[in-house]
Amino acid sequence: MSDKQELARDVRNLLEYAETLGMTEVPISEARGTKDEGRRTNSTKPTDTLKRNAMTSEQKQAALDALCTEIGDCKRCKLCDGRNKLVFGVGNPDAEILFVGEAPGRDEDKQGIPFVGRAGKLLTDIIQAMTYTRDEVYIGNICKCRPPSNRNPEPDEVKSCIPFLIGQAEIIEPKVIVCLGSVATQNLLQTEEKISKLRGRFTEWQGIPVMPTYHPAFLLRNGTMKKPVWEDMQQVMKLLGRKPA
């Protein structure tokens, strides 16, 4: 199938799905190609998307379910060969915060749920310290399948899978995205800058504020980094008008 045929198929599927939801218009996003296009600052004009709350919670959940169905028994990259369970993502379709990690680990691969191991417990603690519960936020990954030996996802694997994470973000329309670690940050923002230089300050993706910070797994190995991460999360809370309990 040619690129033009694939594009026509994708547009047709999107229009048909929008019609089932009773929508009269569909999201229109700026093209994401170069690294400079992918990473945006707070001065960047937001792309044209559906207005917030244009879809009900039920419609958003239906859209997420349809996206998960579209992934199916995914064979789009080589990660499928060692996969136990595909890890789509979990949480509130109306979440104010979307947490983005890199890829499932061993425990996530077994359960089909993101962030359920030791790093997941630490993320849960962070979320609760922010006065939220896991059910109130949304948690997803750049890649939906576990890389062998928990290595970083390779470029071809990210290319195959990140459109689904982008689809989740466009459906949920969070008020803030928190990127956990270098892999998530660099791939979503299309930058090669290190997380140590990116963390602690907001940037922007499709008009949504993005706070890069360290991955919980990194904090388990480097306890002194918990303080900087909490400082990052306090900035997120301030933006959202939340105060520590």
Side-chain angles (χ1 to χ4, degrees):
M1 183 181 292
S2 69
D3 291 343
K4 289 184 178 179
Q5 288 174 320
E6 289 185 357
L7 177 60
R9 180 200 61 188
D10 292 342
V11 170
R12 183 177 63 253
N13 290 341
L14 178 59
L15 290 174
E16 289 174 353
Y17 182 67
E19 185 177 7
T20 66
L21 294 179
M23 297 162 55
T24 58
E25 55 183 5
V26 295
I28 302 174
S29 301
E30 292 178 355
R32 291 177 292 273
T34 66
K35 292 177 180 178
D36 289 338
E37 288 172 340
R39 188 176 176 212
R40 297 176 170 84
T41 65
N42 288 334
S43 61
T44 303
K45 203 173 181 181
T47 54
D48 294 327
T49 59
L50 284 174
K51 292 181 180 179
R52 189 171 297 281
N53 299 324
M55 286 196 291
T56 65
S57 299
E58 291 75 15
Q59 288 173 330
K60 285 185 177 183
Q61 187 60 61
L64 290 169
D65 292 343
L67 187 62
C68 186
T69 299
E70 181 183 345
I71 297 176
D73 184 22
C74 187
K75 306 291 184 182
R76 293 172 179 83
C77 79
K78 57 185 177 294
L79 290 183
C80 66
D81 294 335
R83 176 185 70 218
N84 181 45
K85 288 186 179 180
L86 186 144
V87 183
F88 179 71
V90 294
N92 186 346
D94 283 326
E96 292 186 330
I97 308 175
L98 169 61
F99 289 90
V100 178
E102 56 187 70
R106 181 186 60 186
D107 294 321
E108 290 77 12
D109 178 63
K110 289 180 179 180
Q111 299 185 41
I113 303 171
F115 284 91
V116 292
R118 290 180 62 219
K121 183 181 183 305
L122 180 53
L123 177 60
T124 299
D125 292 341
I126 292 171
I127 291 170
Q128 291 175 345
M130 297 172 71
T131 72
Y132 290 90
T133 66
R134 277 183 63 118
D135 291 338
E136 291 176 314
V137 303
Y138 199 93
I139 306 172
N141 284 308
I142 295 292
C143 286
K144 310 301 185 188
C145 298
R146 181 193 181 195
S149 302
N150 288 352
R151 64 162 170 75
N152 289 341
E154 296 177 351
D156 62 313
E157 297 161 355
V158 172
K159 183 178 179 180
S160 295
C161 207
I162 196 171
F164 296 109
L165 185 277
I166 290 172
Q168 289 170 302
E170 291 181 338
I171 291 167
I172 296 166
E173 289 191 283
K175 294 180 180 178
V176 179
I177 295 174
V178 175
C179 283
L180 302 167
S182 294
V183 174
T185 301
Q186 292 173 345
N187 282 289
L188 187 66
L189 299 181
Q190 290 294 284
T191 179
E192 293 181 355
E193 284 194 63
K194 295 181 178 180
I195 187 66
S196 58
K197 292 188 176 181
L198 290 170
R199 64 143 295 268
R201 54 189 174 91
F202 283 107
T203 182
E204 195 171 277
W205 177 85
Q206 291 203 29
I208 301 172
V210 176
M211 175 57 75
T213 195
Y214 295 119
H215 194 284
F218 177 74
L219 302 185
L220 293 175
R221 302 188 300 270
N222 302 272
T224 58
M225 292 295 102
K226 290 182 179 180
K227 182 178 179 181
V229 169
W230 179 236
E231 291 172 350
D232 298 344
M233 295 306 97
Q234 285 178 307
Q235 289 193 58
V236 172
M237 294 169 67
K238 182 178 180 180
L239 183 67
L240 295 173
R242 308 283 289 214
K243 296 182 179 180

